[in-house]
Amino acid sequence: MLTKPVNTLPKTQKKYQLKLPSQAGNLSIIRGLVTKVAAQVGLDADEASKIELAVDEACTNVIKHAYGNSQGQMLDILIKVEKNKLVIIVSDKGKGFNPSRVKTPDLSESIRAGKKGGLGICLMKTLMDKVDFEIKPGLKNQVRMIKYLT
Amino acid sequence: MEGFEVSQSETGGVSILCLKGYLDAHTAPDLENAIQRLVDKKTYEIVVNFTDLTYISSAGLGVFMGFIEDVRKNGGDIKLTNMKPKIYRVFDLLGFPTLYDILDEQQTAVDRFSKN
């Protein structure tokens, strides 16, 4: 008798959500949760630290750029543990940006121009397996980062 | 709360900034203020010792981007030393080692100033 393999595991096995005031002082709380979840799904300290940094960069972008450091705004972080991947979604309702216009930073040019930033998205893309953006300024902007669990 | 401390000392006429803890968008202004204080005093030979730094994000790296041109124009430099591999990786990923003097030991950085 032939039986089809049945995936008995639900697609999302666990979800963790943080909703915090959009303040840089809360980055340590966010990093703490990310590191704990990464350890829980069996990632080593090195991989966990990459995810920790990528999420920090995404949240810092929201705090600084989407909300322009203004108080009273909220930052949403959703961590989904799926069968073979960790999905982290950072959402805001602030000022959006055009992801296609974000170029790989030229560090020497940035230094000459006196720029102190512009490195976050590059880092996120380097540290995670997949990063994509959904931008609807003022409604909902979302960065979705994936780390595959092998 | 993960804290951050920056302490300043002097060795052989070179200013040393020792970083401790977590350097992110929340704590980067503390480092910015410390370097600004040195620049205001026309102190341009600076070594930043990362021995006790546990974490850095691009906000921390941005502080070094903001000062390096001004410091070098005045004949000085900001040399970075004693990074843990995890910290060095962030600098490396963003291409800093080609533009910044990143050294294993603080004393090597101090000596390099006296040779120039």
Side-chain angles (χ1 to χ4, degrees), chain A residues 3-14 82-83:
Chain A
T3 52
K4 280 186 184 173
V6 178
N7 182 3
T8 52
L9 288 168
K11 194 181 169 213
T12 299
Q13 296 173 319
K14 268 184 188 172
E82 298 189 356
K83 194 182 164 193

Side-chain angles (χ1 to χ4, degrees), chain A residues 24-25 27-28 31 46 49-50 52-53 56-57 60 107-108 110-112 115-117 119-120 123 126-127, chain B residues 1-2 22 24-26 32 55-59 61-62 65-66 68-69 86 89-90 93-96 99-100:
Chain A
L27 287 169
S28 59
R31 291 197 303 264
D46 192 51
S49 73
K50 289 181 186 174
E52 177 190 24
L53 179 55
D56 178 319
E57 297 294 340
T60 297
L107 190 60
S108 56
S110 296
I111 288 171
R112 266 197 301 277
K115 275 183 78 177
K116 290 191 282 184
L119 307 173
L123 259 185
T126 309
L127 296 164
Chain B
M1 179 70 76
E2 296 166 341
Y22 295 75
D24 63 7
H26 184 54
E32 200 161 3
Y55 176 84
I56 192 165
S57 73
S58 71
L61 274 67
M65 290 169 70
I68 197 74
E69 278 278 282
K86 177 186 159 185
R89 179 175 67 196
V90 186
L93 284 174
L94 293 169
F96 275 65
L99 296 167
Y100 288 77

Side-chain angles (χ1 to χ4, degrees), chain A residues 60-69 95 118:
Chain A
T60 297
N61 279 349
V62 172
I63 295 163
K64 278 190 177 175
H65 305 300
Y67 292 135
N69 289 313
K95 196 172 73 173

Side-chain angles (χ1 to χ4, degrees), chain A residues 1-148:
Chain A
M1 186 176 130
L2 268 173
T3 52
K4 280 186 184 173
V6 178
N7 182 3
T8 52
L9 288 168
K11 194 181 169 213
T12 299
Q13 296 173 319
K14 268 184 188 172
K15 273 186 188 180
Y16 303 85
Q17 190 159 21
L18 266 182
K19 203 174 172 79
L20 295 164
S22 172
Q23 293 164 5
N26 286 331
L27 287 169
S28 59
I29 297 171
I30 297 163
R31 291 197 303 264
L33 176 67
V34 170
T35 306
K36 279 184 184 142
V37 175
Q40 213 171 68
V41 298
L43 291 168
D44 63 22
D46 192 51
E47 281 301 305
S49 73
K50 289 181 186 174
I51 302 169
E52 177 190 24
L53 179 55
V55 176
D56 178 319
E57 297 294 340
C59 294
T60 297
N61 279 349
V62 172
I63 295 163
K64 278 190 177 175
H65 305 300
Y67 292 135
N69 289 313
S70 68
Q71 302 288 310
Q73 306 289 346
M74 297 303 281
L75 187 59
D76 243 305
I77 299 102
L78 175 65
I79 306 175
K80 294 195 283 183
V81 181
E82 298 189 356
K83 194 182 164 193
N84 62 345
K85 62 189 174 188
L86 197 60
V87 181
I88 302 165
I89 299 168
V90 177
S91 311
D92 69 82
K93 291 181 179 172
K95 196 172 73 173
F97 68 102
N98 184 349
S100 65
R101 293 185 66 182
V102 177
K103 293 177 186 159
T104 305
D106 177 336
L107 190 60
S108 56
E109 182 52 41
S110 296
I111 288 171
R112 266 197 301 277
K115 275 183 78 177
K116 290 191 282 184
L119 307 173
I121 291 177
C122 172
L123 259 185
M124 286 154 56
K125 287 181 173 173
T126 309
L127 296 164
M128 299 298 283
D129 293 325
K130 196 175 173 190
V131 178
D132 53 54
F133 300 90
E134 199 181 314
I135 306 296
K136 293 174 190 162
L139 296 172
K140 192 175 189 182
N141 306 311
Q142 196 166 277
V143 53
R144 192 171 67 120
M145 295 170 281
I146 295 174
K147 177 66 79 177
Y148 292 105

Side-chain angles (χ1 to χ4, degrees), chain B residues 14 47 79-81 103 105-114:
Chain B
V14 176
V47 171
K79 299 186 189 296
L80 315 174
T81 75
L103 302 154
E105 297 296 330
Q106 176 182 307
Q107 192 55 48
T108 316
V110 172
D111 293 346
R112 208 167 270 196
F113 276 119
S114 59

Side-chain angles (χ1 to χ4, degrees), chain B residues 11-28:
Chain B
T11 304
V14 176
S15 285
I16 314 288
L17 293 177
C18 289
L19 312 186
K20 184 178 180 181
Y22 295 75
L23 182 54
D24 63 7
H26 184 54
T27 57

